[in-house]
Each structure stands twice: as C-alpha cells, then as structure tokens.
Amino acid sequence: MTNFPMHTKRNLLSALAIIIAIAGIAGWSSIASAQQPVPSLNLGFEPTALPGETLAISAYLTDPLGNPIYDAEIEFSYDVEFMNVTDSVEIGSAITDDTGLALVIWHPRSDGDNHIVASFAGDDVFTPANDMQVLEVLPGTQLYRELPPYRIPGANVWLTTGLITTVWVIFIFSLALVGWANLKTRNSPHTGSTGDQRGGSDA
Amino acid sequence: MEPNSEIDQQTDTKPKNWDISRRKMIKMLGGATAAGLAVGYLPKALRAEPVSESAADLAAATSPESAERLRQWMMIIDLRYCDGCQSQGTPPQCTEACNMGHFVPKPMQWIEVYEHEMSRDVGEIKALDSATAPPVEGTKFMPTPCMQCQNAPCVNVCPVGATWTTPEGITLIDQDRCIGCRMCMAACPYERRSFTWGNPPTSPASDFVTHSVEHQLPIKKGVVYKCDFCPEMARAGRMPFCASSCPQNAIYYGDLEEDLASNGQEVVRVSEFLSEHSAFRHKEELRTRPRVYYIDGHGELAGRDPKTEGTMPVRWNIDIKDGSKNWERSS
Amino acid sequence: MTYSTETLEQATVESMQRFSKRYLASVAVLLVLVIAGAVAYVHQLQDGLYVTGMRDRITWGLYITLFVFFIGASMGGTFVSAALRLADMGWRAPISRGAEYITVSALLTASLFIFADMGHPERAINIMLFGRWESPLVWDVYGLTTYLAGSMVYLYLAVLPDLALVRDRIGHRLDPIRRLFVIMFSASWTGHPKQVKALDTSLKVMTVVIVPVAVMMHTVTSWIFGMTLREPWDSPMFGIYFVVGAVYSGVGLIVVFMYIMRRMNHMEAFLTERHFLNMGKLLAGAGGVMIFFQISDLVTAGFKLKGESALNLYQLADGDMAPIFWTYIWVGLMIPLALMLLPFTRNIWGVLIASVLANVGMMLERYFIVVGGLRLPLNPYEPPDYTPTFTELTIVVGLCSLFILLLLIMMKLAPAISVQEMVETGEIEAVQVDAKGVVA
C-alpha cells in the first residue's frame, strides 16, 4: 500500500469508508428491525354470560415495556360454525384510549363456548397482535319473539258462535211453536172447515 | 161436526186466555236454546287441535314452552349478486335445484326469479300493454321464495287450518287436511302458492317417502304446495337447495335468534348486515311481516349491466306462458 | 164479481195434478243436462281440476262466479218476500211462494258449485271438524247453512196451510209419494184458531229475523274477496256492493220466474201487470243504487290513478276485459233502468226484458270481479288468460239446470200461488173475473 501514489490511497480510503458506512447502516437497520416491538393484547370480560345480556369486552394493548398504546384500532370478532360454514363474525371495533383500553359492548347470541378474538392489525411501529378467550354463554330464554298476527277484535269464537246460536234458536223455536200448537189441537173441533180460518186473521 | 164433550173438557183445562202458558213457552224456548246451542257449539266441540297429527308432533318438539331457544329462520337475498343466472347461460339455478330436490312437478316453481323493471311506471303499464317501452333504469332480477310472513294472509284465511306458522316462523301446509278451496292462493299477495291441478308426475324416489308436512312428499293431487324453507335440512345444518346452488352465493339463510346468516361461504351477523345495506322486504306496506329480506341491487357485483337489451328470458326452460296450461299428467 | 176463495183453492190445487206436455218436456231436457253435468263431474273427480281452464294464476273461475251469482239470486227470494211482508205490501201475495222457492233452490245450487270447485270435496267435513272461525270461508259456510235453514223454515211456515189444503182436497187422489209428503208436512193443520195464532207468531218472528240474516249472508260472501290483499277486492265497500247487487239480480230472477209461472200455469189473472210493474220499480231502485256504486268506484279510482287500482281500471275500461265491463254497464245497468223509466216500456214485456238483461249484466259483473280480480298480476308477468273448458261448462250448465229442475219439482209439491196469503192480504179481491166467473 505504501508504494501506491497518494491519489490512489485517498480513493481507496474513501471507498473503504463508504463500504464501512453501508455495512454499518445495514447492520444497524437489521438489528433495529429485528427489534421491532411486539405489543401484547389482553382480552378481558366476564367469563360467563346469558344470551342477550349486555357484555363489555375490553382489550388492553401494551408495548413490550408495559406502556399502553393509544389510538390503535382493535377489531373484535368471534368464531362461529353456522350451517357447516366456519367463519369469523365481526363484533365491532374500537380505538384504544390513553390507557390502551379498547372497549366494545356486545350482546352474545350464540349458545355455548364463544371464542372471542381481539386483533390488532399492526402499524409502522408495532407488529400485529391478537388474543383469544372463551366466553361461556349459558342457556337462556328466547330473545327474538314474534308479535302474534293481528286479530280482528270481536270476530272471535264466542261472538260468531253466539250469533249463529241465537239465530238457530229462533228458527227452532218457531218450528216448535207451530208444531206444538198443531199437535195439541189436532183433534179439537172448531167452527167450519179448513177454508174458514182465514176469514178474520191478519197477516 | 158435533162438539165432542170429552175433548171440550180437555181443552177447557187450558188457561182461558188462549196464549200458551208461560211455562210452556219457557220450556219450548229452553229446548230450542239447547238445540241451537248444540248447532252453534258443535263445531268447536268436535274440533281437534288446529294442526294435524304429524304437525302436532312438530309443534310439541318446537313449542315455546321447551327450555331451548328456538331458531327463527329467515333469508337474505343479495340482489347485487343476482343476475338471473344470465352469466351462466342456464335457467335460474335456485329454481332448478329446488325443483329437483323437492321433486316439484312442472310447471310449479316454488322459488321463482322475476325480472322487475326498476322504473316503476314503465313496469306497471308494460304489464298491460303489448307495446314495449325502452327501459329507463333497466331491470333487476328478484328470486322470490315464499316470504314466510309472520302475519300471513294465507294462514289467516284458511278455513280448516291446513296452513299455519310454526314456532320457528315457517309457514307450512298440511296436505292431508287441505280441502283444495284455494282461498290461500287468492289471498297471497306474492302469489307464491301453487295447486296440483292434475295427477302430478311422481318419481320413484319420492313414492315411498312417508308424508310429512316438512318435506311435502309424495306430491298429491288437488292440494296446495309452496316453498317451505327446507326446515329439516336447516335443522340438520344444511343450506336449502336454492341457497347452496346459487353460483353467485347471493342467497343467505339465517337465524334471527342467533343473529347469524350464511350463504355457504361466509357467515354474517344479520342485524349488522341488514342495516349496513339498507335491506328491504317485498311489499312491506302490506304489513305481512315477511322473513325474506332483500339487499337492493341489479346484479352489478356479478358484472351485469341492467340495461342489456335482449336478455335471455328467465323461464326459457319451463314453458309456463298463458297461465300454465301445460300441466304434465302421469295419465 | 169477486173471485171466491173456493175457486182459487180449486184452481191451484188442480194445477198440481196437471202435468202438461210442456212441463214434462222441460223436466226431461233438464234431467238430461243434469246427468251430463254429473258425468262431467265424475271426470273431474278422476282427473282433478286440471280439466277446467283454471290454473295457478286464475285460480277461481266459472264455479266461483256462479256460486256468487246464485247466492245473490237467493238473496232476492226470501229477502224480498220477507221485506214486502214486513212492509205490509199486499201485492206480494202471488209472488211470495215462487220467491221462496227460488231462495231454497238457489242456495242448494250455490253450495253444489262450491263442492264442484274444491280439490278434495270428500274432505268438506274438515270445515266442521277443524274449522277456523277466523276464516271468511267458514263465516260463509255457516252463513249459507243458516240462511238456508231460515229460508226453509220460513217457506215451510208459509206453505203449511196450503199443504193442509192440498191434503184435504185432493189428498186421496195424489200419488203415494206426494200423499205421504203432504200428510207428514201439513202437521195436522186443521185451521184451529190456536194453530193460526201460533203460525202467525212464528211467521212474524221469522220475517223479522230472516231479513238481517239474508243481509249478513251476502256480506260474508263478499268478505271472501274483501278480506284479501288483492287490489280490486281490497275495498271496504264490498259488503254493501254485493248485497245491493244481490237484490238487483234476485228481483230480476223473481220476475223471470213469475213470467214463466204465468205462462206455464195460466196465471194471468193472478200475476198481472201491476205485479210486474211493482217488481220493476224494485228493480229500478236497486239498479240505481248499483249505478251509483259503479260511478263512485270508477270516479275515485280514475281521479287518483293510484298504483294497482289504476291497473284494474285500465283492464276493465280499456283492456282485455273491456267488452265484458262495458256490456255490464250498458246492457246490465243502463238499459234496464231506461226501460223502467220510459213510459212506453213500462209493461210486462219491458219488465221482463229489463230483468233478463239485469241478470245477464250481474253474471258478467260477478265474472269480472272474480276473474278480473285474479287476473291483475301481482308480480311482473303478462296478465294471464282464462278460458273455460268444455267439461267445466258442462258442469256449469248441469248445475244451472238443476236449479231450474228443483223449481219445477217444488211447483208440483205445493200450490204455486200462496192461497193462504192471497186470502190473508185480500189480494184475492183484486183478481179480475168476467161475468161467467172465469178468470180474465
């Protein structure tokens, strides 16, 4: 190296400096990326619930040092198998506040073990994270009830039955009256023949 | 005729003022009332439960008194994806699958795909005039199953209770009790009920099935049939024929109690899905409270242009022009 | 010279024994038609309702049209007779018997039309066993049976003294069947004052009861259509519309029957022009109300042109059902009214023609209510067509012939003119006789 002329030495030195700089930056960035913090997400809710009950699902998002991460969007969902299709159904989403808490209100509908998942999609600082916990939904009462079909007030059984009964009573009474009168007096005489009874009676 | 003194004595024992004695009158009235009450009350006394035997079992299994939560079946049809199977070049797959799966006799279609004009005025007059008007907004396809109304006009008018709404919200027909008066067909505002006018062609596969109100087989003459939401399949966790056969997965079958619906590929939360897409029900103003919801669209997400002229008619495989005169008979 | 009661009794009772050639020929023809209808019905039972022209869209056709028509005809009979009795109109006397016959016969025929229309007529008992009181069809079934029972009771009470008359005068000369019938049903009537009083009371009660029963009966029939959501039927006006239409066609049918009786039994002296003109006035009154209903319906629909009521209006006024609709308006409503208003047509012929046209018009009206209402598409498709088939028409003709046949049979079972009422009301004094005592 001592035999090289001076300008070549300067070139070599600058090339070396550049190489060292590039290697250093590469090294540093790789070390830096290998160290991107992984947040931790912790779901919290009551372990059991009834169907339809108001349930508060909370999720805490903290960095590896335990500091809360705020303004991060957490999505909540739960896994279902419905009609032989397994899928994850969205419950809602919430933004973490200053304490790293994201809160969503839910009314569970499915019986049995509900696997509730909270997930954080990650941003330019943190990697994605998620958490799953099981909520046991106890057997409960029917939530969705239909209104009964409309009923016409009055057109019920008793009104119709009453009307028909009254009318038929009148029919039978009229027949019975005439029948009774005929049979009772069939042998008793009266003046004149059958043609005379019409003489004085009115309609 | 000479008065007979004996008979006169008999008649003399009557009250002098002729009118029948009050006691007699009341007795007669009482007798008449009893007879009249019998006539009026007889139907109620004779009446069995408003549902028939097989249906009674069904009612017991799904009665609200049981501790379980009942399903409340419903359907969501996403019209943004339905293009009447024009892109498939086939008749509507939902109709074909339903017809084949239930052995539905021609020319019935329990789920029928109608092509609606999107601008209402043109559509209404077009139904009467033979002159065609150019489409203003285009057309959309609407698969129309039985709406499973919760205030069903067909249930309200049936004289013998042959059609009723189960606790799960499905309207079923008991073909063993139906007398074929067709009042339900006149009453349905969606015209979703069909009558077996003749001896329907039956397939050997369906001939030996025990009749049940939940799968309406074997098909018999002289009674009414309609879409039944495939309740047995649903309880077993399988999608109905129409939903599972749709190539665009436009039909969701769901449960309002669990608030979930699926189209075979994804599961959605019914309440969110409906409110997010402003779902509507057909002829909502009639207050029949149907269980079939529609998400408005015209097949745009299936790549359909609503103004396409000369679209293939949806009925080209089922010849049912002129009020369905081509009923197929086995004899 | 007045016409004596004796002569009247003789004449009417003797006419029961007289079977003229015309009468026998009519019975024979009608019997053939009824049998043809029965054969066609057996064919329908075997092959199902496929043999008719009805299909899924037009699901009710001629059977239901004629069912409604005959219910309307029945309303005209006993209702008119009872209403005229309530109003103490003596001129009803020669008409009332025929009117009551019409009611009973029409109700029986109407119920047979329902059987013809059912997919499973053998399950009709289900209406009794499982009937739902919320169903308009059940209201109609019970309304029909109640009105039929009431009409039969009313007819029976009115005919009772006449049956006794027949029994006393020619009972020994009657054939065994009719003799048994007359003896049994005259129920030992002897004309005793107590019997008369009982009969009077009963008839008064029945008269008062049968009028609202008749009105309710036709109202519940209209509610078979009025309780649905189909646009042409979804109107609160249906009840009264059907009742007035029933009175209109019922009065017309009575006039036609009056004319036939007059010619067949030579009753020109009893059924005079005065009677026909009075019935013509009733016809004109009912027709006027029908015109008013039609106008109010058309004007309210035509002014707003709202949705499906506009479609119905187009269909009737301008579209495929226009010939039927306009025939109904002009031939069925306007011409009869004109015939009754113009002085030179106010005679027996005028009333008869007006009545026939009224009935033709009302038949068309029932048709476009039933079939036109079903024709309106509730989904986007072309309005369907309905063409009755030969089998369907045969059954229809057979049942209409049965209606007339029943009337002819009933005419020979009891005096066709109510002798009892003729004497009661004093109408017998209005009968014109010439110097020899023969009816004019």
Side-chain angles (χ1 to χ4, degrees):
Chain A
M1 202 147 111
T2 46
N3 293 334
F4 291 154
M6 192 48 116
H7 63 275
T8 318
K9 274 191 203 161
R10 214 170 287 138
N11 287 343
L12 278 171
L13 273 171
S14 49
L16 197 60
I18 290 169
I19 290 168
I20 290 170
I22 290 172
I25 291 169
W28 178 83
S29 58
S30 68
I31 291 168
S33 68
Q35 288 174 351
Q36 193 174 27
V38 179
S40 67
L41 188 55
N42 292 301
L43 268 176
F45 47 78
E46 295 279 332
T48 62
L50 287 171
E53 194 185 309
T54 310
L55 185 75
I57 303 174
S58 59
Y60 277 97
L61 188 66
T62 52
D63 67 11
L65 301 172
N67 299 322
I69 304 170
Y70 53 85
D71 269 354
E73 186 169 356
I74 312 288
E75 287 183 359
F76 299 86
S77 60
Y78 75 109
D79 296 331
V80 281
E81 194 203 333
F82 184 73
M83 306 296 267
N84 288 327
V85 174
T86 319
D87 197 3
S88 158
V89 175
E90 195 185 303
I91 292 174
S93 65
I95 310 280
T96 54
D97 61 6
D98 296 339
T99 62
L101 168 71
L103 187 71
V104 83
I105 306 290
W106 185 47
H107 308 273
R109 297 294 281 252
S110 308
D111 279 349
D113 286 344
N114 288 21
H115 296 243
I116 300 187
V117 173
S119 67
F120 167 57
D123 57 13
D124 32 345
V125 178
F126 297 102
T127 59
N130 50 41
D131 188 24
M132 191 275 285
Q133 291 223 15
V134 176
L135 167 74
E136 193 193 336
V137 176
L138 304 167
T141 55
Q142 183 83 3
L143 291 172
Y144 187 88
R145 287 186 193 282
E146 277 294 350
L147 297 171
Y150 300 139
R151 291 271 176 251
I152 312 166
N156 58 16
V157 185
W158 298 114
L159 177 70
T160 328
T161 317
L163 267 174
I164 294 176
T165 309
T166 312
V167 172
W168 279 78
V169 162
I170 294 174
F171 295 163
I172 296 170
F173 174 71
S174 308
L175 275 181
L177 183 64
V178 169
W180 180 87
N182 279 16
L183 292 173
K184 268 300 178 186
T185 58
R186 68 169 172 272
N187 289 323
S188 67
H190 61 97
T191 52
S193 68
T194 51
D196 276 2
Q197 83 282 12
R198 301 183 186 94
S201 55
D202 293 320
Chain B
M1 197 158 59
E2 279 232 320
N4 185 331
S5 55
E6 281 176 20
I7 295 172
D8 274 344
Q9 276 164 10
Q10 284 170 9
T11 55
D12 276 343
T13 55
K14 291 277 174 357
K16 290 295 171 195
N17 177 1
W18 171 64
D19 302 85
I20 306 171
S21 70
R22 301 254 161 126
R23 201 176 298 154
K24 266 285 178 310
M25 190 88 92
I26 290 170
K27 265 196 216 165
M28 236 186 310
L29 199 58
T33 310
L37 268 172
V39 169
Y41 193 68
L42 195 63
K44 185 148 168 61
L46 281 177
R47 187 186 327 179
E49 283 305 304
V51 294
S52 73
E53 295 265 318
S54 58
D57 298 332
L58 170 63
T62 55
S63 76
E65 280 76 44
S66 66
E68 289 183 34
R69 289 165 63 200
L70 290 172
R71 298 290 200 183
Q72 298 290 317
W73 301 114
M74 56 90 70
M75 220 185 243
I76 310 173
I77 301 182
D78 197 342
L79 298 180
R80 299 171 303 167
Y81 284 98
C82 175
D83 64 347
C85 290
Q86 305 287 301
S87 54
Q88 313 292 314
T90 60
Q93 295 294 289
C94 46
T95 309
E96 289 224 313
C98 174
N99 279 18
M100 290 204 300
H102 288 283
F103 300 100
V104 174
K106 278 189 176 187
M108 286 190 200
Q109 295 186 49
W110 293 355
I111 177 168
E112 193 159 352
V113 178
Y114 287 110
E115 189 173 358
H116 287 253
E117 295 272 346
M118 288 204 280
S119 60
R120 301 269 305 198
D121 283 343
V122 175
E124 280 172 2
I125 306 301
K126 195 174 177 184
L128 291 179
D129 294 338
S130 47
T132 52
V136 176
E137 293 172 34
T139 62
K140 67 181 177 194
F141 288 96
M142 205 157 134
T144 323
C146 166
M147 297 289 161
Q148 312 292 343
C149 309
Q150 299 307 297
N151 179 30
C154 58
V155 171
N156 289 340
V157 299
C158 179
V160 293
T163 186
W164 78 103
T165 313
T166 66
E168 291 180 335
I170 299 181
T171 310
L172 294 178
I173 305 174
D174 181 7
Q175 276 87 19
D176 285 335
R177 193 190 281 194
C178 175
I179 61 175
C181 68
R182 309 190 297 291
M183 175 134 200
C184 57
M185 290 175 70
C188 178
Y190 307 100
E191 288 186 319
R192 300 314 321 143
R193 297 173 81 103
S194 309
F195 188 71
T196 38
W197 296 95
N199 291 307
T202 53
S203 82
S206 69
D207 275 341
F208 294 100
V209 176
T210 321
H211 177 75
S212 148
V213 295
E214 288 199 314
H215 56 248
Q216 298 184 91
L217 282 176
I219 307 260
K220 300 172 192 166
K221 176 185 80 169
V223 285
V224 176
Y225 288 89
K226 70 169 184 70
C227 157
D228 58 6
F229 259 28
C230 302
E232 291 178 332
M233 290 168 63
R235 252 185 266 125
R238 292 172 50 208
M239 300 277 279
F241 293 115
C242 52
S244 54
S245 66
C246 177
Q248 309 284 350
N249 294 308
I251 302 182
Y252 291 76
Y253 191 76
D255 173 20
L256 284 166
E257 174 63 17
E258 204 181 344
D259 203 27
L260 295 172
S262 169
N263 64 354
Q265 299 227 316
E266 58 165 355
V267 178
V268 297
R269 254 178 89 191
V270 170
S271 46
E272 295 297 317
F273 195 55
L274 293 178
S275 60
E276 200 179 309
H277 299 289
S278 307
F280 69 94
R281 293 186 291 189
H282 196 33
K283 303 200 191 193
E284 175 90 52
E285 69 278 3
L286 297 176
R287 295 300 291 153
T288 51
R289 290 191 268 133
R291 280 274 175 93
V292 176
Y293 289 80
Y294 289 93
I295 293 177
D296 211 356
H298 48 266
E300 62 267 25
L301 295 180
R304 177 177 171 261
D305 171 19
K307 297 219 190 69
T308 319
E309 293 277 0
T311 52
M312 210 183 303
V314 292
R315 300 176 179 178
W316 52 261
N317 78 321
I318 303 170
D319 183 26
I320 50 168
K321 295 184 187 49
D322 298 330
S324 303
K325 278 194 164 63
N326 66 332
W327 185 273
E328 282 189 6
R329 286 189 297 165
S330 54
S331 61
Chain C
M1 186 166 134
T2 54
Y3 189 71
S4 74
T5 313
E6 293 283 329
T7 324
L8 172 64
E9 290 173 8
Q10 196 71 22
T12 49
V13 160
E14 290 298 328
S15 82
M16 279 177 64
Q17 283 288 82
R18 190 176 48 237
F19 290 91
S20 68
K21 281 212 186 68
R22 215 189 301 178
Y23 178 84
L24 289 172
S26 313
V27 168
V29 166
L30 291 171
L31 209 53
V32 164
L33 288 174
V34 169
I35 291 171
V39 167
Y41 184 63
V42 168
H43 178 230
Q44 183 185 283
L45 281 179
Q46 285 172 337
D47 277 349
L49 282 157
Y50 171 73
V51 302
T52 68
M54 300 186 275
R55 292 293 181 263
D56 277 354
R57 293 288 85 88
I58 310 271
T59 194
W60 281 338
L62 275 188
Y63 294 151
I64 298 290
T65 305
L66 278 144
F67 161 72
V68 180
F69 177 77
F70 277 107
I71 295 279
S74 78
M75 169 94 169
T78 307
F79 175 77
V80 166
S81 167
L84 291 178
R85 181 192 285 263
L86 267 181
D88 206 12
M89 300 263 182
W91 59 269
R92 72 163 197 283
I95 304 171
S96 59
R97 182 63 42 78
E100 287 149 24
Y101 283 165
I102 286 178
T103 298
V104 172
S105 184
L107 284 173
L108 289 170
T109 314
S111 50
L112 285 177
F113 266 112
I114 286 285
F115 271 93
D117 187 64
M118 282 167 67
H120 275 271
E122 76 278 5
R123 290 186 193 166
I125 194 71
N126 281 3
I127 295 190
M128 189 80 167
L129 296 174
F130 305 114
R132 286 179 68 246
W133 289 107
E134 293 89 352
S135 163
L137 233 137
V138 171
W139 304 338
D140 185 60
V141 165
Y142 282 104
L144 202 157
T145 43
T146 306
Y147 186 41
L148 182 59
S151 295
M152 281 173 141
V153 169
Y154 185 80
L155 170 64
Y156 178 61
L157 291 177
V159 89
L160 186 61
D162 284 358
L163 285 178
L165 175 69
V166 169
R167 173 198 66 197
D168 290 339
R169 287 213 171 234
I170 59 167
H172 51 282
R173 280 192 274 149
L174 279 177
D175 47 278
I177 301 172
R178 281 199 292 172
R179 195 187 316 153
L180 186 64
F181 171 78
V182 161
I183 289 175
M184 223 167 51
F185 282 98
S186 57
S188 321
W189 174 269
T190 52
H192 193 283
K194 294 186 186 180
Q195 293 181 348
V196 171
K197 191 91 197 275
L199 188 70
D200 268 348
T201 316
S202 287
L203 258 177
K204 274 198 195 119
V205 166
M206 282 305 298
T207 310
V208 168
V209 162
I210 205 74
V211 171
V213 168
V215 170
M216 270 315 292
M217 205 269 121
H218 217 65
T219 310
V220 294
T221 305
S222 80
W223 283 343
I224 291 177
F225 306 97
M227 294 292 173
T228 64
L229 288 163
R230 285 192 187 253
E231 180 50 48
W233 297 347
D234 187 10
S235 158
M237 212 179 66
F238 249 54
I240 187 67
Y241 183 57
F242 267 50
V243 168
V244 176
V247 173
Y248 187 54
S249 77
V251 168
L253 211 56
I254 294 176
V255 169
V256 171
F257 190 59
M258 269 163 64
Y259 188 79
I260 293 175
M261 270 200 337
R262 185 182 137 102
R263 291 294 293 266
M264 199 177 255
N265 294 350
H266 304 290
M267 286 175 180
E268 286 85 354
F270 304 103
L271 295 166
T272 62
E273 188 172 49
R274 175 174 144 253
H275 298 98
F276 279 87
L277 286 182
N278 284 337
M279 291 299 277
K281 285 179 205 162
L282 279 182
L283 192 76
V289 180
M290 284 300 283
I291 292 175
F292 165 64
F293 280 138
Q294 243 11 92
I295 292 175
S296 83
D297 198 22
L298 287 172
V299 164
T300 37
F303 188 89
K304 292 179 280 190
L305 287 177
K306 179 183 93 162
E308 278 159 19
S309 59
L311 291 187
N312 187 38
L313 190 65
Y314 290 138
Q315 169 182 250
L316 291 178
D318 221 2
D320 291 333
M321 304 208 84
I324 296 175
F325 181 71
W326 289 114
T327 310
Y328 157 68
I329 294 282
W330 289 109
V331 169
L333 289 180
M334 297 295 184
I335 294 183
L337 189 66
L339 285 176
M340 291 296 96
L341 290 176
L342 296 171
F344 48 88
T345 49
R346 253 186 256 150
N347 48 37
I348 293 183
W349 273 108
V351 175
L352 179 68
I353 292 176
S355 304
V356 169
L357 293 180
N359 272 306
V360 166
M362 287 314 290
M363 182 89 78
L364 294 175
E365 190 250 7
R366 307 298 189 210
Y367 183 80
F368 75 68
I369 282 184
V370 173
V371 175
L374 286 166
R375 197 170 169 272
L376 211 66
L378 295 177
N379 283 309
Y381 52 83
E382 292 297 315
D385 291 319
Y386 166 68
T387 318
T389 59
F390 177 70
T391 314
E392 201 174 354
L393 286 169
T394 313
I395 295 178
V396 163
V397 166
L399 282 174
C400 292
S401 311
L402 185 66
F403 168 68
I404 305 172
L405 189 62
L406 282 174
L407 285 174
L408 288 179
I409 292 174
M410 286 196 266
M411 262 166 47
K412 294 296 178 196
L413 284 176
I417 295 245
S418 171
V419 179
Q420 162 80 349
E421 282 182 58
M422 287 292 277
V423 176
E424 257 177 14
T425 57
E427 270 297 296
I428 190 152
E429 278 140 46
V431 176
Q432 301 291 327
V433 291
D434 63 11
K436 282 195 240 151
V438 177
V439 292

